[in-house]
Amino acid sequence: MKERTYLTVTALNKYIERKFLLDPYLGKIYIKGEISNFKIHNNNNIYFSIKDENTRIEAVWFGTKNFEFKDGDTVLIKSKINYYFPRGEHNLLVIDMKKDRIGELYQKFLELKEKLDKEGLFSSLYKKQIPKLSENIGVVTAETGAAIQDIKRTIMRRFPLANINLYSTLVQGENSVQDIVKNMKLADNGDNDVIILARGGGSIEDLWSFNTEEVVRAIFNCNTPIVTGVGHETDTTLADFVSDMRASTPTAAAEIVTPNIEDIKNKLKFNLDKLNNRIKFILESSKACIIKNKENPYIKNYLNIYLEYKRNLETTEKNLQRILSAGIKEKKIDFFYKKEEFLDIDILEKYKENFAKTIEHLEANSPINIMKKGYSITFLEDKKVTSVKEIKPKDNPTVQLLDGVFTCEVKEVLKEGVK
């Protein structure tokens, strides 16, 4: 049996060190990851860990003057593997390091997307219908870019009757955001049936103007339907989310807003042929019907049939007039008798009797008739006296009789009632 060979730790670490040194892939390594445990030493050396979602590795950057990094930064590192023989450890020896600009922009993209989505700017409830046939098409893009040329060629090929209104704008770089917003407002002036917002492809930095809150809100506030065609098919910006329809490219955007004139011609030709065939069918059917009814006895004797119907109509008219006249005469006689009966009725008889009873009652209770029986009415200072309590000696009351009035002086008041 072959005896096993046992290595020393030194031999093993030497072997591993040699592997690291001889591997060409480990001499220059480009790493992307997230910084953690970031520490700066007094000798300008930086020690940190670089990690991803699965693992991590230690790193060191000797003598750097760049201290703008912190924990959580996503960075791009140019480095090589350093194997430390005494401890049998390896780490990254950093040659150069910079922040991952794309990673930062993408994080901003996600944060703004979440914010605007919560506000409802991307909701389908606000999406406007793209017209099937647009006579005036507004295009917001750079007048010198390839996008406008692609759009013009596509529109002229598909629907040359359309008018293209170009609103030349900056599509990247400083001041591009303000320029895009300004030209979107100009295009949304009511002169266009639809607006195309477009630019050619580029990096995320090149397309960043279309990921800004100002541009997104400008698109949302437009009254005119908007189709975006920004970048290539794999590029998606926040402008695409808020627009009424996203196209993968500027050419695709031009195709969305225009019908194919050849399709229109074919449809018109189809409808014309269908109409001609229908007219031909109606004419042939009518002709066949005429030929079929040519020998019909009603057709041949139409005049005699007409005269017979005319005579029957005249007879019916005379009979109707006779019946109506007799009916009217009978109603007149009946009305006359009803009128005589009505005039003989004394409608006021019942009311006359009630009226006489009322008059009789009023006369029986009349003050004049009462005074005829010897009664009088006494007044003191124009006020009727109804009790001796209202009179005192030396008062001068007035006494009303049936045939006159006299004034007297009270000598004495006796408080004895009628017995």
Side-chain angles (χ1 to χ4, degrees):
M1 184 175 178
K2 187 176 180 180
E3 186 179 352
R4 289 189 177 90
T5 302
Y6 291 89
L7 297 175
T8 63
V9 175
T10 299
L12 177 59
N13 280 348
K14 280 288 185 183
Y15 178 79
I16 295 173
E17 181 184 39
R18 182 175 177 81
K19 286 292 183 181
F20 275 109
L21 293 174
L22 295 179
D23 191 328
Y25 296 106
L26 300 179
K28 186 182 291 185
I29 305 171
Y30 295 89
I31 298 287
K32 176 181 178 180
E34 180 184 327
I35 291 177
S36 66
N37 300 321
F38 186 79
K39 297 176 182 178
I40 302 175
H41 284 219
N42 294 332
N43 54 6
N44 291 339
N45 295 337
I46 296 176
Y47 296 87
F48 60 95
S49 299
I50 189 75
K51 65 177 183 178
D52 58 21
E53 64 272 14
N54 297 315
T55 188
R56 65 195 301 156
I57 188 172
E58 300 302 316
V60 59
W61 192 2
F62 293 116
T64 181
K65 296 180 181 180
N66 189 350
F67 305 111
E68 64 178 4
F69 306 100
K70 64 182 184 302
D71 285 350
D73 286 345
T74 301
V75 292
L76 303 175
I77 300 175
K78 178 182 178 183
S79 63
K80 62 181 180 179
I81 287 292
N82 175 51
Y83 184 76
Y84 187 56
F85 171 76
R87 294 183 182 175
E89 298 174 350
H90 69 280
N91 60 8
L92 289 179
L93 186 60
V94 176
I95 300 171
D96 190 22
M97 182 169 68
K98 61 182 179 181
K99 288 186 179 181
D100 181 13
R101 175 65 177 161
I102 295 176
E104 288 184 1
L105 290 177
Y106 186 65
Q107 185 61 35
K108 290 182 180 179
F109 173 91
L110 294 178
E111 291 172 357
L112 183 57
K113 179 176 180 290
E114 182 180 5
K115 171 189 172 183
L116 298 177
D117 192 25
K118 287 181 179 178
E119 291 185 28
L121 270 67
F122 305 148
S123 173
S124 59
L125 296 175
Y126 302 110
K127 302 297 183 186
K128 296 178 283 294
Q129 190 73 28
I130 306 300
K132 293 183 178 180
L133 193 150
S134 298
E135 183 179 352
N136 295 293
I137 302 172
V139 181
V140 179
T141 190
E143 63 180 346
T144 57
I148 185 60
Q149 302 306 322
D150 294 340
I151 291 171
K152 284 182 176 180
R153 278 195 299 269
T154 304
I155 293 177
M156 289 300 101
R157 170 175 55 84
R158 289 176 57 84
F159 193 61
L161 301 177
N163 299 316
I164 301 175
N165 300 317
L166 174 62
Y167 302 85
S168 181
T169 186
L170 299 172
V171 292
Q172 72 180 70
E174 189 176 359
N175 300 323
S176 61
V177 173
Q178 293 80 2
D179 208 33
I180 293 172
V181 171
K182 179 190 73 174
N183 284 290
M184 288 298 298
K185 292 179 180 178
L186 290 175
D188 189 38
N189 59 2
D191 293 337
N192 297 302
D193 302 310
V194 68
I195 298 172
I196 297 176
L197 176 62
R199 68 148 287 157
S203 65
I204 188 172
E205 291 93 340
D206 295 336
L207 305 179
W208 191 248
S209 298
F210 297 88
N211 287 319
T212 60
E213 186 171 354
E214 295 90 337
V215 170
V216 172
R217 293 193 183 278
I219 295 172
F220 181 79
N221 291 328
C222 280
N223 296 314
T224 310
I226 295 177
V227 177
T228 50
V230 179
H232 298 304
E233 187 170 357
T234 56
D235 298 321
T236 303
T237 65
L238 294 180
D240 295 318
F241 286 104
V242 74
S243 67
D244 299 300
M245 185 172 290
R246 173 191 179 266
S248 57
T249 62
T251 299
E255 290 176 347
I256 288 173
V257 302
T258 53
N260 191 336
I261 196 167
E262 294 302 322
D263 293 339
I264 296 176
K265 289 179 179 178
N266 292 335
K267 189 171 183 179
L268 289 174
K269 184 177 182 304
F270 172 79
N271 289 334
L272 180 61
D273 292 342
K274 187 177 179 180
L275 180 61
N276 287 332
N277 291 334
R278 182 62 181 169
I279 293 173
K280 184 178 179 181
F281 172 77
I282 293 173
L283 291 175
E284 290 180 351
S285 299
S286 300
K287 182 178 178 182
C289 184
I290 292 172
I291 293 173
K292 179 181 179 181
N293 293 317
K294 186 177 181 182
E295 301 301 324
N296 190 308
Y298 284 98
I299 301 298
K300 285 185 174 183
N301 299 296
Y302 176 75
L303 182 59
N304 294 332
I305 295 171
Y306 167 73
L307 293 174
E308 183 179 354
Y309 274 115
K310 184 179 180 183
R311 285 193 296 271
N312 291 338
L313 182 61
E314 290 173 350
T315 302
T316 302
E317 183 180 3
K318 290 178 180 179
N319 291 335
L320 183 60
Q321 287 179 348
R322 185 178 68 254
I323 293 169
L324 287 174
S325 298
I328 292 171
K329 184 177 181 181
E330 181 180 349
K331 292 295 182 182
K332 283 183 176 180
I333 294 171
D334 185 59
F335 176 74
F336 176 77
Y337 285 116
K338 294 289 185 182
K339 177 182 177 183
E340 293 299 323
E341 291 177 4
F342 179 76
L343 292 175
D344 290 339
I345 298 173
D346 188 357
I347 300 174
L348 298 177
E349 183 179 0
K350 176 182 176 181
Y351 300 99
K352 286 178 180 178
E353 184 179 350
N354 292 336
F355 182 72
K357 290 179 179 180
T358 302
I359 293 299
E360 183 179 348
H361 177 73
L362 290 174
E363 287 181 349
N365 293 280
S366 169
I368 294 174
N369 286 334
I370 293 172
M371 284 189 288
K372 283 181 180 179
K373 298 177 182 179
Y375 292 99
S376 65
I377 303 173
T378 304
F379 296 92
L380 181 62
E381 297 180 353
D382 297 327
K383 182 179 179 182
K384 187 186 293 183
V385 177
T386 60
S387 172
V388 294
K389 295 178 181 180
E390 301 173 10
I391 297 292
K392 62 182 182 294
K394 295 185 180 182
D395 281 346
N396 300 109
T398 302
V399 180
Q400 173 75 54
L401 298 175
L402 177 64
D403 57 350
V405 178
F406 67 87
T407 302
C408 60
E409 181 180 344
V410 177
K411 296 294 184 180
E412 185 181 2
V413 178
L414 301 177
K415 296 182 180 180
E416 295 181 3
V418 177
K419 295 183 180 179

